Amino acid sequence: MMSVIFKRKIITMKYTKEQKKRLVQEYCQGVAVKDLLSKYEISRSTAYEWVKSYKTHIDKKTKNVFNYKQLLDCQKKLQRTELELQFLKEAQCFDTAPRKIKLEAVESLFGKYPVKMMCRVLKLDTATFYNYHFRRVVKTMYAIRDETLKEKIKQVYEESEHRFGAKKITAKLQLIGESVSMNKVSSLMKEMGLKSKQCKKRVFVQQESKRPCLPHLLHREFTQKQPNVFWVGDITQIKTGRLNFYLCVIIDLFSRKVIAHRLSGQCTTNLAVNTFNDAYELRGQPKGLSFHSDRGGQYISYEYRELLRFYGVKQSCSKAYNPYDNAVVESFFSRLKQEEINCGQFEDFFDLKTKIGKYMDFYNNYRPHESLGNMTPNQKEIEYYSK
């Protein structure tokens, strides 16, 4: 036994440190142990003893040695990077986006990717996401219905060119089968910041008239059972810049339809006469007709009274300085100015005439009337003649 140990020491002493290190380097580079044993003429135990003694020293000096553990670490990092890139591609969101968008992106891919990885990539706190995901309030059926109602309310509001308030919008929605109250519509309109066009209310003061008394046949019976029984008319002034124009209208009390209107630069009897002629021809020269107006000079003039007498039309006039006797026309003028005239700019007479004509179409075909059961004037007449 002593002789074997002594012999191994002799062999070890035979080689220098550099030779021993060279053997270890070749071993680390993958040279077979069998070849090393034959090259250096040493035993296997001696070779492993050299490797054990000098390998640590070589690893410290050789920085580019790449072992299996490091290979596995690199593979894991590569897989993690690929997963993060795939997540970013599907999320379509970066860490610079607003927090709400990042929360929605993580929630949309919840269960497909690890939450910690997604939050780390988007620089989002994990607790913040879990609080958003599990504790947020889910929209109720009432909230969903309110969103749907808001869209319909806005559509009617836009179609009316911002003229309708909660009352008219409610009527239009009910006509299309939507069950909703005016208070609900008013509340949703406040949330959306929608307001109808407004104008100042007129204040009337009764005064005594020095003009001759004419018969008052209407007696404020503004509801008629059939068309062409009572027409009402009046003239209003429209100011556009420095110019004044005058609008004359005639309305059938049965359907509240504007059956004729004329615009002029002068408030004359001819304006009232020509408007009545238009209405009389358009309605087919009806019989048994009565016409009501205020006591304006155009309506009590000899020419106008002779025109009505020639057509066989009974004339009725309001009491002196009492616009409530002709409330239907006064109300129409108020709405016209509130919803159209006071809300726009007019370039000239023809621009004003065009826009008034468009409003008349809107009034007769689209605007609901509470006195007609929220029907339009044309719908009311179509219903009557279809019976």
Side-chain angles (χ1 to χ4, degrees):
M1 182 69 178
M2 290 296 292
S3 60
V4 173
I5 296 173
F6 182 73
K7 185 177 181 182
R8 184 183 300 173
K9 286 183 178 180
I10 293 173
I11 295 172
T12 304
M13 292 174 62
K14 180 180 175 182
Y15 294 97
T16 63
K17 288 183 178 181
E18 295 298 328
Q19 290 175 325
K20 293 176 181 179
K21 289 180 181 179
R22 193 180 303 115
L23 180 144
V24 175
Q25 287 177 349
E26 291 179 0
Y27 172 79
C28 291
Q29 291 173 359
V31 179
V33 176
K34 184 178 178 181
D35 296 336
L36 292 174
L37 295 178
S38 61
K39 179 179 179 181
Y40 290 94
E41 297 180 351
I42 59 175
S43 64
R44 183 180 293 271
S45 60
T46 301
Y48 282 118
E49 185 179 348
W50 290 0
V51 169
K52 184 178 180 181
S53 301
Y54 291 96
K55 185 175 185 300
T56 305
H57 179 70
I58 293 172
D59 286 346
K60 289 181 180 179
K61 294 183 73 176
T62 310
K63 296 181 180 180
N64 60 348
V65 175
F66 192 74
N67 56 33
Y68 183 69
K69 186 174 182 295
Q70 291 174 322
L71 175 64
L72 292 177
D73 290 341
C74 288
Q75 288 178 343
K76 288 180 180 179
K77 288 181 181 179
L78 179 62
Q79 291 176 354
R80 186 175 67 181
T81 304
E82 289 177 347
L83 188 65
E84 291 174 355
L85 290 173
Q86 186 178 353
F87 160 69
L88 286 172
K89 185 177 179 181
E90 293 189 29
Q92 296 183 352
C93 176
F94 297 99
D95 58 357
T96 55
R99 187 173 68 174
K100 185 177 181 182
I101 296 177
K102 293 193 288 187
L103 288 169
E104 292 175 352
V106 174
E107 187 178 44
S108 65
L109 298 172
F110 180 73
K112 186 174 182 179
Y113 296 99
V115 173
K116 288 185 178 180
M117 181 274 292
M118 293 190 288
C119 291
R120 184 185 69 253
V121 172
L122 295 180
K123 295 181 181 179
L124 186 67
D125 189 63
T126 308
T128 301
F129 168 72
Y130 281 122
N131 184 66
Y132 170 81
H133 181 69
F134 292 108
R135 296 184 183 180
R136 65 184 178 132
V137 178
V138 181
K139 279 188 178 182
T140 63
M141 293 298 295
Y142 293 104
I144 295 172
R145 183 172 184 271
D146 284 352
E147 293 298 325
T148 305
L149 276 175
K150 284 181 180 179
E151 293 179 3
K152 295 181 179 179
I153 289 170
K154 189 173 182 180
Q155 181 181 355
V156 175
Y157 181 74
E158 294 295 337
E159 288 177 353
S160 71
E161 298 182 5
H162 306 180
R163 298 183 180 114
F164 286 177
K167 193 172 185 180
K168 294 297 181 185
I169 291 177
T170 303
K172 294 296 289 186
L173 292 177
Q174 290 176 347
L175 285 174
I176 61 175
E178 191 69 46
S179 178
V180 62
S181 67
M182 189 180 73
N183 289 338
K184 184 66 174 178
V185 173
S186 178
S187 175
L188 294 178
M189 287 182 70
K190 287 180 181 178
E191 290 182 18
M192 293 187 288
L194 304 181
K195 293 182 178 179
S196 62
K197 298 176 180 178
Q198 300 292 331
C199 68
K200 294 182 179 180
K201 292 185 177 180
R202 296 173 62 188
V203 179
F204 299 105
V205 180
Q206 284 191 343
Q207 298 180 7
E208 293 184 0
S209 174
K210 297 180 181 179
R211 294 186 177 183
C213 182
L214 293 174
H216 179 34
L217 306 177
L218 184 58
H219 301 296
R220 300 188 186 181
E221 295 178 2
F222 301 125
T223 302
Q224 301 296 322
K225 296 182 179 180
Q226 59 185 20
N228 302 323
V229 174
F230 247 110
W231 292 354
V232 291
D234 200 356
I235 300 174
T236 189
Q237 183 184 55
I238 299 175
K239 296 182 179 180
T240 58
R242 296 182 179 180
L243 299 177
N244 293 330
F245 298 104
Y246 300 90
L247 176 67
C248 180
V249 301
I250 294 179
I251 297 175
D252 190 326
L253 286 181
F254 168 73
S255 61
R256 305 298 170 89
K257 179 177 181 177
V258 180
I259 53 180
H261 71 277
R262 279 200 177 218
L263 184 69
S264 175
Q266 295 180 338
C267 186
T268 61
T269 301
N270 284 337
L271 175 61
V273 169
N274 291 334
T275 305
F276 189 89
N277 283 328
D278 292 344
Y280 194 72
E281 293 298 326
L282 287 171
R283 301 296 267 190
Q285 300 181 358
K287 304 297 182 183
L289 175 65
S290 297
F291 178 79
H292 181 84
S293 67
D294 60 11
R295 292 175 177 270
Q298 299 80 14
Y299 294 108
I300 65 172
S301 65
Y302 176 79
E303 183 180 357
Y304 198 84
R305 286 186 286 126
E306 283 298 312
L307 174 71
L308 297 183
R309 191 178 297 113
F310 176 77
Y311 287 145
V313 178
K314 295 179 182 179
Q315 186 174 16
S316 171
C317 287
S318 303
K319 294 180 181 178
Y321 299 101
N322 194 334
Y324 300 103
D325 289 342
N326 202 16
V328 172
V329 182
E330 296 291 351
S331 176
F332 170 78
F333 284 148
S334 174
R335 292 301 176 187
L336 169 67
K337 292 179 179 179
Q338 175 182 339
E339 298 174 354
E340 183 65 32
I341 303 300
N342 296 341
C343 302
Q345 297 287 335
F346 307 99
E347 297 178 358
D348 50 29
F349 172 83
F350 298 101
D351 183 35
L352 176 62
K353 184 178 180 181
T354 300
K355 290 182 178 177
I356 288 178
K358 289 182 179 179
Y359 182 82
M360 296 304 178
D361 291 335
F362 163 80
Y363 183 87
N364 288 332
N365 294 303
Y366 189 80
R367 194 178 190 279
H369 289 252
E370 186 178 5
S371 62
L372 304 178
N374 288 323
M375 298 174 66
T376 66
N378 281 339
Q379 286 176 337
K380 181 69 175 178
E381 293 201 349
I382 290 173
E383 180 187 57
Y384 176 82
Y385 288 112
S386 63
K387 292 181 181 178

